[in-house]
Amino acid sequence: FYSNRTDFIRTAIRNQLERHADVVKQSTARKGLDLGLRNYTRADLEAARQAGEMLHINVLGLATIAQDVSPDLARATIASVSVLGALHATPAVKAALSDRTR
């Protein structure tokens, strides 16, 4: 059925990716990278909490978490923070997210 072992492995990988296409699409959508300026408002975080989603903040540039965001809201809605540049947030929010910041 297959010309060589490599052909078999490639076919097996393609078949697995096709079977799990929905999960692969969700994973790539969640792991996006924002370039430039990204501002997270209290409304953004509250909408994520109501939807039962956790945010993965990946920014190349400046990420800003609004001043009116409480540390509890930030911990409830932000799963990880990776910023190549600067992160602007209140000291309390930064402290609340310190274990989730890379």
Side-chain angles (χ1 to χ4, degrees):
F1 294 114
Y2 305 100
S3 60
N4 57 36
R5 187 179 355 189
T6 303
D7 187 34
F8 170 75
I9 292 169
R10 285 184 188 140
T11 302
I13 291 171
R14 270 191 235 111
N15 289 340
Q16 287 297 316
L17 289 175
E18 286 175 10
R19 282 188 197 139
H20 303 289
D22 294 336
V23 175
V24 171
K25 286 179 186 176
Q26 289 175 357
S27 176
T28 56
R30 282 189 309 238
K31 301 293 181 182
L33 176 69
D34 292 322
L35 301 175
L37 174 64
R38 180 65 167 99
N39 186 32
Y40 293 90
T41 65
R42 181 182 183 117
D44 294 334
L45 299 182
E46 287 175 348
R49 181 170 50 185
Q50 287 179 346
E53 297 177 352
M54 293 293 285
L55 300 176
H56 296 273
I57 297 175
N58 295 309
V59 177
L60 175 60
L62 173 64
T64 304
I65 299 174
Q67 297 291 318
D68 62 346
V69 172
S70 69
D72 292 332
L73 179 60
R75 284 206 54 89
T77 56
I78 299 173
S80 66
V81 179
S82 178
V83 178
L84 299 171
L87 172 63
H88 287 200
T90 63
V93 169
K94 284 184 179 181
L97 298 173
S98 64
D99 62 328
R100 300 175 185 187
T101 304
R102 289 180 255 144

